[in-house]
C-alpha cells in the first residue's frame, strides 16, 4: 500500500493526474459520505491513497481534463 496523503491534497493530485478537479468541499463531502476510498486517521484527518485516483475520479464522475 502506498503512503496516504491528506484529503486537502486531493484536488491538486487529481489535476496532476489529468482530471478535472472539484473543489475541496466536494472532495470532503465525498469522503464523509463514503463515496470515495478515503479513511479517517486516529488523529481525525481524512486521507486517501494516490493509487486510488482512478477509482476516486470514477466515483466522482470526473472527466479526463485532456478530453474536455
Amino acid at each position: 500500500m502506498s503512503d496516504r496523503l491528506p484529503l486537502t491534497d486531493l484536488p491538486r493530485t487529481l489535476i496532476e493526474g489529468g482530471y478535472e478537479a472539484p473543489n475541496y468541499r466536494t472532495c470532503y463531502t465525498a469522503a464523509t459520505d463514503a463515496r470515495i476510498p478515503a479513511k479517517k486517521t486516529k488523529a481525525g484527518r481524512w486521507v486517501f491513497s494516490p493509487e486510488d485516483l482512478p477509482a476516486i475520479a470514477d466515483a466522482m464522475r470526473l472527466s479526463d481534463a485532456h478530453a474536455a
Side-chain angles (χ1 to χ4, degrees):
M1 176 180 273
S2 71
D3 292 329
R4 293 193 174 268
L5 298 175
L7 197 65
T8 53
D9 289 350
L10 183 54
R12 173 64 45 201
T13 304
L14 285 164
I15 290 168
E16 291 171 355
Y19 298 100
E20 292 183 16
N23 62 36
Y24 170 73
R25 188 58 160 154
T26 301
C27 295
Y28 178 81
T29 301
T32 59
D33 289 349
R35 289 186 284 123
I36 62 172
K39 60 190 309 190
K40 197 171 187 180
T41 66
K42 291 180 183 178
R45 289 190 81 183
W46 284 93
V47 295
F48 72 98
S49 173
E51 292 176 355
D52 291 332
L53 273 187
I56 291 169
D58 185 51
M60 296 181 80
R61 298 181 181 167
L62 302 176
S63 63
D64 184 334
H66 301 289

